[in-house]
Amino acid sequence: MRQAVVTARLRLVPVGPGHVEDLVELHAHPDVAFWHNGAWSWGRARAFAESMAHRWRVEGAGKWMAYERGSGALVGRGGLSFAAVEGVRRLEVGWTVHPRMQRRGFAVEIGAAGLALAFGGLGAAEVVAFTEPQNTASRAVMRRLGMGGARPIVLRGAPFVLYTVAAPGA
């Protein structure tokens, strides 16, 4: 399993079983629950944490829990995962930031760390991100990360918008 990553303002720790309480806290907020099919139960958070620990071990990529370096406060979660998009397994970057920490650039910082791992440590040629069409905040983060080519897709029967970014120099 990979070690924690330190950015300018964040400590990013690979999600594992010790993060269930923080996941429940993050996903209990109505503004987060709205985008994730409701608040997370302990069981759902535990299953996610175990899945991420497995992904880190097997795939070398997963989501991080994000904590503010100075205070240790929970910022959110984010990072990489593999997702089936239009029938193709693709490396996806994503983030979820607690509402009390939003509008401070943390989502961009998490996303940039994910892209650095994808293009550096994993040697990915391309990374995707997707969100609901009405999620203007996430779409703005994708653009700030240099992602483009926005186009509509359907995932799990629902409309989404897909953004992509190629590896530097590709």
Side-chain angles (χ1 to χ4, degrees):
M1 181 139 101
R2 293 196 183 261
Q3 298 298 312
V5 171
V6 177
T7 68
R9 300 176 298 153
L10 297 172
R11 185 172 54 86
L12 303 171
V13 181
V15 172
H19 297 110
V20 173
E21 186 173 343
D22 286 344
L23 288 165
V24 169
E25 177 188 335
L26 175 64
H27 289 271
H29 195 285
D31 292 343
V32 173
F34 176 81
W35 298 108
H36 294 278
N37 298 315
W40 284 16
S41 67
W42 283 87
R44 184 172 175 191
R46 187 177 313 105
F48 178 84
E50 290 170 0
S51 171
M52 283 301 117
H54 175 76
R55 288 179 183 205
W56 278 110
R57 278 191 310 276
V58 173
E59 299 173 339
K63 301 293 191 212
W64 293 295
M65 292 304 300
Y67 300 97
E68 196 172 32
R69 283 181 57 191
S71 68
L74 174 64
V75 170
R77 68 172 179 86
L80 300 171
S81 58
F82 287 93
V85 180
E86 299 178 313
V88 178
R89 187 173 188 255
R90 302 177 79 177
L91 193 56
E92 178 254 342
V93 65
W95 46 84
T96 299
V97 175
H98 195 288
R100 72 173 175 260
M101 298 298 213
Q102 290 177 356
R103 302 192 198 305
R104 298 192 211 175
F106 288 128
V108 173
E109 201 164 329
I110 294 166
L115 293 177
L117 173 58
F119 296 136
L122 299 176
E126 178 186 72
V127 176
V128 302
F130 49 83
T131 190
E132 294 84 352
Q134 70 274 23
N135 191 339
T136 56
S138 276
R139 293 179 74 174
V141 170
M142 292 170 196
R143 289 189 297 274
R144 283 188 200 104
L145 290 169
M147 304 185 92
R151 65 182 178 82
I153 62 170
V154 175
L155 289 173
R156 301 175 296 275
F160 282 80
V161 178
L162 178 73
Y163 286 73
T164 60
V165 64

